Every structure is written in C-alpha cells, then in structure tokens.
Amino acid sequence: MQIKVYFESMEIIHVSAECYPVAKAGGLGDVVGALPKYQNEAGHVAKVVMPMYRTKFLLNNEFDVVHKGYTNLGSWWFNFTIIKETTNKLGFDLYLVDIYGLLDREKIYGYDDDPERFLGFQVAVVDWIASWEHRPDVIHVHDYHAGLIPFMLKYCHKYQFLQNIPTVLTIHNAQYQGWMGWDKSHLLPAWDGWKWGMLEWEGTINPLASGIKCAWKVTTVSWSYLDELRVAANGLEALFEYERGKCVGILNGIDNAVWDPETDSYIDDHYSVETFAEGKLRNKQILCDRFDLDIDKPLLIFIGRLVGEKGADLLPQAIGDSFYHIGRTMNFLILGSGFPEVEAELNSMKGLSRNDYNVFIGYNENLSHLMYAGADFILMPSRVEPCGLNQMYAMRYGTIPMVRNTGGLRDTVIDYGDEGGYGIRFNYAAVGDITQAIWRAVNLYYDDEKREEVIRQMMQLDFSWETSVKQYIDLYQSL
Ligand code: ADP
C-alpha cells in the first residue's frame, strides 16, 4: 500500500508594531523581520502587517495600494489605506496600514495617543481581513499593540464571522501592557457587553491580558521567561498561572543572513571562525580610534535600552567600582538611549575617561554591528530578559557574553567555568555581581588559550531560526 503524505502550506498573518528593516526599536523588530522570512523558506505563506510610520524605508521603497477602507473608533470615522511593498525583497509580503492623523508619525512609540493609534491600527487590520474572500490559516499577533485582535475576532459583532480563524499571541515583553481606562471602551467596534471580563485586568482595559485570555495559544520568547512570568509579570502573574495550559516558550532565533561577520553589510572588515583574531582586532581598532579607547585592553560593551529592565542604571557604579577595585585594565563603550538620568550620568562619566570609557547616546544600527564585531565582551545585567538577542548576535561575532542568570539569557549562555560553557554568568542584577563578572572577564581576556577556545566554540553555535520555525508551525497546526 502506498501512503501519500501531503505537505500543507499555511497562510500566516503576522500583525506587529515593529519589523526590521522597516521600523525597529528592539528585539520585536528583529523577530518579525526574520520569522516570516524563514516560515516562507519552509514552504508557507507568511505575511506581515504593520503601521505605516514615516520611516526611511517608506521613502526609499515602492508600494502598491491594495485596499482602501473606512471605519471608526467610536464616533470618529476615518479612511485607511493598505499598501504593499512591490518587490518582496524582505522575503515576505509586507503590508503597511496608513491612518492619517494616527500612524503618520516618525517614531514608533512614545506619543500620548498611543492607545488610540494602536487601536486604530488593529481595527483597520481586522476590517481589511474581513473584506477578503478567503480566510488565513492563522493570525499571529505580537505584544500588546496587536493584543486586542483575538478579542475583536471573538466578541465584536461585526467580525463574528471571523471567529474561527485561529489566533496566536507572542509575548516579547510583558512589562508593557497598553493599559487603557474604561472610558475608551466605546472606541472598540461594538462588542458583546457580557464579555467585558475578556478585556479587563485590575480595573482597566489591558490589551496584553486580553490577548492572553482570548488568543487560542500564547507563546513567550524563551522557556525560562515563561516560568518567570508566573512570579513576576508586572501584575499579570495570576493570569499566567491560570492560563498556563495554553502557553508555550519558543526561543527566538537570529537572522543569520543579516547577522554574519563574514558578510555583514554594516561592517567593512569581515571575518570567520578561522580568522576571528585578526578580523575582530581590525574592527576593534576602528572603534578605539573613533571613541578614544585603548586597543591593548579588553573592550567591554553594552548595547540596549537604558532602562531598569536592562539593569542600565547599575552601569555607572559598576564601571566606577571596576576601575577602582580592579584597576584601569579595561575599556567600556556603551550604546543606548532611555532614562534621561541614566543617559546624563553615563555622559558625565566621559570626563573621567583615561582613554578607557565612552558612550554614544542614541539608536544606531551601524554602530551596533561594528560593536558586536569589535568588542571582546558584552555586558547584559538585565533584571528581566524575555529572550535577549544581543547575546546571540555577540556570540556569532565572537564577543563573549556576560549575562545575568535570567530569562532567555539563562537559556542561551552557559558559564565557561561549567562543562561545555562559553560565557560568563552571574546571579544578581547588583553592582557587586557585575563587578565580579568584569573581573572574571579581564582574567579571561589575558588567558589567550582559553579565550580563543571559548570564542571558537561560541561562533559555531547554531541559533538559526530553523528549530523555532518548526515549533511555531507545529503549534499552528495543532490549532
Ligand atoms: P529588547 O528588550 O530591547 O527588545 P533584545 O535583546 O530582544 O532587547 O533586542 C535588542 C535589539 O535592539 C538588538 O538587535 C540590539 O542590537 C538592538 N538595539 C538596542 N538598542 C540599540 C541602539 N541604541 N542602537 C542600535 N541597536 C540597538
């Protein structure tokens, strides 16, 4: 008897506020810029829908208008337009939603009317999907900005006929939940009033909580983060405990096509696992020249949002203590932006530099790639780290991660003192632990043989998307 196995290609619609290279503020952008590409490579049809911000990508690319709609937020009726990038150069169909007055801004976040902006975006997306003649196999929403879509599909009268479309919510960061007062409840398309509990958490409309309650499945971007959310989830702990049956952890991958020291288009001096010693040194030289640092000392970097979650507020004292207790035997270079107090403190420390400290306040994709390539160590003293991509990029570029033992950092980095290990791990987001990790880093730096062994091992680790793509597809299929 002959058994035929049919491969079922699925249509997956990703809805997100960020997508690299269109608009990125952090890891969410990287993931939504890569996961759909690798889902397509695996034979599926994955598409991305996001707001049409006024970013460089918009100006430098060509688009076709594919839909024009008219809908409302409460009594405010508005026109919206969906445009599609014409060349498919990202490896997936990219759709941008334009809402004049709401989404036509340069920044992704940080406006007073963010709740209305993302609500308008979600209503437009669902309205557009409702106009299709076919149904997608799954709608995959990311973070709170798209977290109300599962509710809308289930309980808004207008979209009831879409309620059988499976939904998946991926939580990249549970700190931000999109809280809205009940006075905004009339902005949602008319909904079944009995279901108010599906929007509510502790007295407010909570889009992330609503997504967790209403999505068919919920994923987090690492296994450890899922465990931690049951005890620390910015108020949603009980909900994660209650809904644990539908939650799974799927570790992010990294886009090896973008993040490859052999081909990276942001750096000039390429290298491989065979040539890392000279290759990294050339990149380090560029950094040291540009930032007045000493090439002969180990270069420790930090890249990221300067916020409490990342432990950025601990950096000034940890750096000061290291210089004082360990000596001026290392360089620090920091790239990031965030809390004004932390930015100011880090900036003010430039005056104390003896060619061994510098900081670049801002967001700079080019510089970040050069830093992954030229640094010796990357410091991540995060209090919370859902997955963390920096440590994975760093390892691919031969930069040794120094990470706090939490979330995705715990899942991806093994201490070099343990069997098979290749990084530096510490337990607490505290100055003492960070300083001790810096001391270990300096010692490792001067142990050429061990350091090179660690780098060689790290650079060959596989963090590609392949395994995670398979897990996502299995999850969709289970629906
Ligand atoms: P987050 O919690 O911020 O999403 P992740 O580790 O998941 O943290 O992802 C961070 C991503 O953002 C990485 O690609 C990192 O290189 C990038 N990034 C963060 N801050 C900056 C910055 N100031 N300039 C350039 N890239 C940055």
Side-chain angles (χ1 to χ4, degrees), residues 27 39 98 126 133 166 195 236 243 272 302 341 353 355 379 436:
Q39 288 179 328
D98 189 26
V126 178
E133 278 169 15
K195 302 296 180 196
L236 299 185
E243 297 284 12
S272 66
F302 173 96
E341 318 83 79
S353 169
N355 296 343
L379 181 58
Q436 205 212 354

Side-chain angles (χ1 to χ4, degrees), residues 18 20 24-31 143 172-173 176 221 252 259 302-307 309-310 334-337 360-369 371-372 378 380 382 384-391 393 409:
E18 294 180 36
Y20 173 85
K24 165 180 163 184
L28 170 64
D30 283 341
V31 171
D143 274 353
H172 300 256
N173 194 329
Y176 306 95
V221 289
N252 285 337
W259 297 93
F302 173 96
I303 299 175
R305 294 178 292 120
L306 300 175
V307 298
E309 270 179 277
K310 301 284 179 195
I334 294 170
L335 164 63
S337 60
F360 182 102
I361 300 293
Y363 187 93
N364 189 324
E365 193 75 28
N366 273 292
L367 177 58
S368 73
H369 285 246
M371 286 171 68
Y372 289 116
I378 186 165
M380 299 182 73
S382 307
V384 184
E385 196 59 82
C387 173
L389 293 169
N390 299 18
Q391 79 281 13
Y393 297 146
L409 300 175

Side-chain angles (χ1 to χ4, degrees), residues 114-167:
D114 278 357
E116 285 86 356
R117 294 174 67 230
F118 290 114
L119 191 52
F121 164 62
Q122 294 174 84
V123 171
V125 171
V126 178
D127 231 70
W128 173 49
I129 293 175
S131 74
W132 297 2
E133 278 169 15
H134 74 286
R135 304 273 164 265
D137 293 298
V138 56
I139 298 182
H140 188 154
V141 301
H142 297 266
D143 274 353
Y144 87 81
H145 327 101
L148 290 169
I149 289 179
F151 175 88
M152 288 190 214
L153 297 181
K154 273 189 168 157
Y155 303 121
C156 289
H157 304 306
K158 198 172 161 185
Y159 306 125
Q160 287 279 289
F161 64 103
L162 301 177
Q163 64 181 309
N164 291 331
I165 304 177
T167 50

